[in-house]
Amino acid sequence: ETTGQLSPSQEELNEMLFDIHQAGLQAVFHAIERTTIEAACNAVNFVLQKSPNPDHRHRIEHCSVCTPSLAKRIASLGMIVVTQPSFIYYNGDRYLKTVPISNLEHLYPISTLIKNGVRVAGSSDCPVVPANPIIGIYSAISRRTEGGELVLPEETITPLEALKMYTEDAAKATFEETIKGSIAIGKWADLVVLNGDPTKLSANEIKDIEVEMTILNGEVVWDKMS
């Protein structure tokens, strides 16, 4: 996916996905470049024509270089994107120096994906970068690198959209929305208490939010004051 070579071939990919799809399982495509994202879309289109399923939730991991037309196609196929906003913060200074302009203008276009109707979940790809979701949320909102530079600032999203990526949409990406992703009766009480409200702070202040308490399934497993 990073060499310009598609492996497996489109035909092999189509057949592999068809077997996964027919088994009622969810496929996860690791696709970075446009050619591999297009191949994933081609495969999903192939299997949906043979066996329609409006709630398949086949996923693209990364979706790093994605044009508006590709975003529209991903949405039309009902695919989910799981991407890594933290890469903008931790790797952004290197991206600005090394990524060709033709790719840089479509790099991690989270706003474009959302506006075109794609469900986008946030992840870290840890251990590639630290797992801290606060940095991911900050990156999606600010598009700032660790050195303070901007990477495609027109792709900024709102704090609520960023929070949704790491909660509700992350749960949807794994078919777990009935047990997690929001605070509701009957769901696991997996949540954290923060020392600041991400929807009311400036983007720069969000980066410094700290966790005061962590609760898993209703049990306090970590308390800053303990």
Side-chain angles (χ1 to χ4, degrees):
E1 63 186 17
T2 59
T3 63
Q5 300 291 322
L6 184 61
S7 179
S9 69
Q10 185 69 65
E11 293 73 19
E12 291 174 303
L13 190 63
N14 291 354
E15 294 304 322
M16 290 169 66
L17 179 60
F18 186 71
D19 290 341
I20 293 168
H21 186 77
Q22 287 297 89
L25 300 175
Q26 180 186 32
V28 179
F29 299 91
H30 286 250
I32 293 172
E33 299 173 352
R34 276 174 275 193
T35 52
T36 50
I37 297 169
E38 287 169 353
C41 290
N42 291 341
V44 171
N45 183 62
F46 173 82
V47 300
L48 291 180
Q49 287 183 342
K50 286 176 168 284
S51 178
N53 178 357
D55 196 31
H56 57 81
R57 303 193 205 179
H58 298 313
R59 286 165 33 188
I60 297 177
E61 304 292 303
H62 309 305
C63 202
S64 308
V65 180
C66 184
T67 62
S69 60
L70 255 183
K72 287 183 175 69
R73 191 176 184 205
I74 292 167
S76 71
L77 291 166
M79 301 174 76
I80 291 175
V81 166
V82 180
T83 196
Q84 295 75 36
S86 295
F87 284 5
I88 297 165
Y89 180 76
Y90 290 110
N91 301 331
D93 292 305
R94 173 167 56 84
Y95 292 157
L96 290 171
K97 293 177 182 177
T98 61
V99 174
I101 291 296
S102 59
N103 286 342
L104 194 62
E105 64 185 2
H106 301 297
L107 193 65
Y108 295 105
I110 299 171
S111 179
T112 292
L113 288 164
I114 292 173
K115 286 175 181 175
N116 279 286
V118 179
R119 189 179 294 278
V120 184
S123 80
S124 66
D125 213 33
C126 183
V128 176
V129 299
N132 185 1
I134 298 297
I135 294 296
I137 290 166
Y138 164 75
S139 299
I141 295 167
S142 72
R143 305 289 298 196
R144 292 271 179 191
T145 71
E146 199 167 7
E149 300 297 321
L150 282 166
V151 178
L152 216 59
E154 59 269 32
E155 291 293 341
T156 57
I157 61 174
T158 69
L160 277 176
E161 287 173 326
L163 286 167
K164 190 167 175 279
M165 285 176 62
Y166 284 87
T167 53
E168 182 181 328
D169 288 335
K172 277 271 190 181
T174 54
F175 285 92
E176 294 182 298
E177 69 274 15
T178 61
I179 59 171
K180 59 176 67 170
S182 61
I183 302 171
I185 294 172
K187 293 189 178 184
W188 296 354
D190 289 356
L191 54 132
V192 293
V193 178
L194 306 176
N195 69 347
D197 183 347
T199 67
K200 295 180 180 177
L201 298 174
S202 69
N204 198 49
E205 290 173 315
I206 288 171
K207 177 167 57 70
D208 299 317
I209 288 176
E210 294 182 357
V211 175
E212 299 287 332
M213 181 184 293
T214 303
I215 302 167
L216 292 177
N217 201 18
E219 299 291 330
V220 176
V221 297
W222 184 81
D223 187 338
K224 186 178 180 181
M225 301 304 293
S226 297

